Amino acid sequence: MTKPGRPPAPLLDPQQQSAMTITRGKPVDATERRSGPQLTVGELFVAVRQHWLLVLGAFMGGIAIAVIVSNAQTRIFESVATIYFDPRPPQPLGEKVEPVVDTSADYWNRKEYYNTQHWILSSRAILEPVAERLRLRWDPGFIRNKAGLERENEPVLSLDEVVGILVSRIRVQPIDDSRLARITVRDASPERARRILTALTELYLSQNESELMAATTEASKWLHNQLTTLKSDLDESEIDLHKYKKEKDLLSVSLDDQSGMLREEISQINVALTEAKTRRQHIAARSQQLADVDEKDPVNLPARELLESVVLQQLRAHYLEVSKELSGLLGEGKGENHPSVVASKARRDASKTALLDEIRNIKRSLEKDVRAADSEIGGLQSLYNRARAGALEVNQLEIEYRKLRRTRDTNERLLTLVTERAKRAISRGCCV
């Protein structure tokens, strides 16, 4: 009889004995001695067929053990909820009024806010009220993580121990790129997991509402305090503006009108001053030309003076005439002492004297005009300086006036804004 598990080896002819055979993936010579027992698929099949009862029993026993182990393990259920976080702070002046420092827009502040809220959800501040509300200290099923156990009449564990168990069964997981977080409660009882999750979210939201209401109350108080302060500031700014206008005589004509009139006056004075300076320059130039006339032979006179003075023209013409007469007498060979020459020289000298006197009269008149022009220029310069100083003073008044008016306008706008927000707070019962 063949030994179980090892069927007889097949017979090989002499030619096959010298060939190579494959054993466990390794080529070996047919003449090589086997190092250990070899089990083929055929041999295994034969062994199973011969001992099928034993194999079947082992298989059924394994199934039974698996079922027993599976039934012995506690089934754990999960209850999941999603919470939305809003990092924006209350805005008592409305959403359109931007805060001085926008903390909600800063990445690190938002991250800190979210991490804080995640920590609060699994903190003692929330879990202790949850444990007390659900009486988890008296619940052996919760403590042992079993379903179906009845509550005890006395606390099974302390509050700290129950909170520690709650912490181990709660997971807060933020959802990436969002303001959401997923809260998961794991427990052997699905109903208990749901109740714990419900109590946890309700208490968290209740605490947030309480904090929000506290902030709302503070904001409402702040609004009413601001109303009183702003009314006082507005009244004070109105009085300051009125006093300033009265002291600076700004009641009849506005600063803009005064400034415009002063600018026009300065422009006109500047034009007149320029004309006076130009006229003075022309007069001084004429006086200098007359001063350059040769008194020994005052024939070459400025054309402008000749054109403007008929007397000067006549005197010059008479001087030229008697000078020509004298030259003619001398050219005829008459001597210096000849009566005709002496008479002609006397007429020439008298004409020359009259011509030089007229030139001096015109020059003195021009010098007088230069002095008048200087006086006019000085007066215009004084007017210009006073107008310019007045313009600077009006500018300074305008700066101070606009400053006071801006203060008044700002207080008025703030009072209007806060009054409107206070009315909304009263009508809605909140101010956020």
Side-chain angles (χ1 to χ4, degrees), residues 9 13 36 74 81 86 107 137-138 203 275 278 306 324 350 361 407:
D13 56 24
T74 302
D86 187 0
Y107 170 78
R137 297 172 58 193
W138 290 264
L203 285 169
E275 293 177 352
T278 303
L306 291 173
K324 183 178 179 181
N361 290 333
T407 303

Side-chain angles (χ1 to χ4, degrees), residues 53-119:
L53 290 175
L54 180 60
V55 173
L56 180 61
F59 178 73
M60 295 302 294
I63 293 177
I65 293 173
V67 170
I68 294 172
V69 172
S70 177
N71 290 334
Q73 291 181 348
T74 302
R75 298 178 64 185
I76 302 300
F77 298 89
E78 290 185 349
S79 186
V80 182
T82 303
I83 288 186
Y84 172 81
F85 301 105
D86 187 0
R88 295 176 299 177
Q91 294 177 299
L93 292 182
E95 295 180 355
K96 295 183 180 180
V97 180
E98 296 182 359
V100 178
V101 179
D102 187 7
T103 58
S104 63
D106 185 75
Y107 170 78
W108 294 109
N109 286 335
R110 290 202 310 269
K111 185 176 181 181
E112 183 181 74
Y113 170 81
Y114 294 139
N115 290 337
T116 301
Q117 299 306 309
H118 300 161
W119 178 85

Side-chain angles (χ1 to χ4, degrees), residues 140-199:
F142 167 78
I143 295 171
R144 300 174 186 175
N145 205 9
K146 299 290 184 180
L149 297 181
E150 295 183 358
R151 293 180 178 272
E152 299 289 342
N153 294 327
E154 297 294 334
V156 180
L157 293 178
S158 65
L159 184 59
D160 290 340
E161 293 171 327
V162 170
V163 169
I165 296 174
L166 267 177
V167 171
S168 66
R169 297 185 191 178
I170 294 174
R171 183 177 62 179
V172 180
Q173 183 179 8
I175 299 176
D176 294 338
D177 301 326
S178 71
R179 297 181 178 182
L180 304 175
R182 185 178 293 107
I183 306 173
T184 304
V185 177
R186 304 175 74 251
D187 196 88
S189 170
E191 177 63 21
R192 188 165 54 230
R194 183 190 62 79
R195 287 190 287 108
I196 293 175
L197 181 62
T198 300

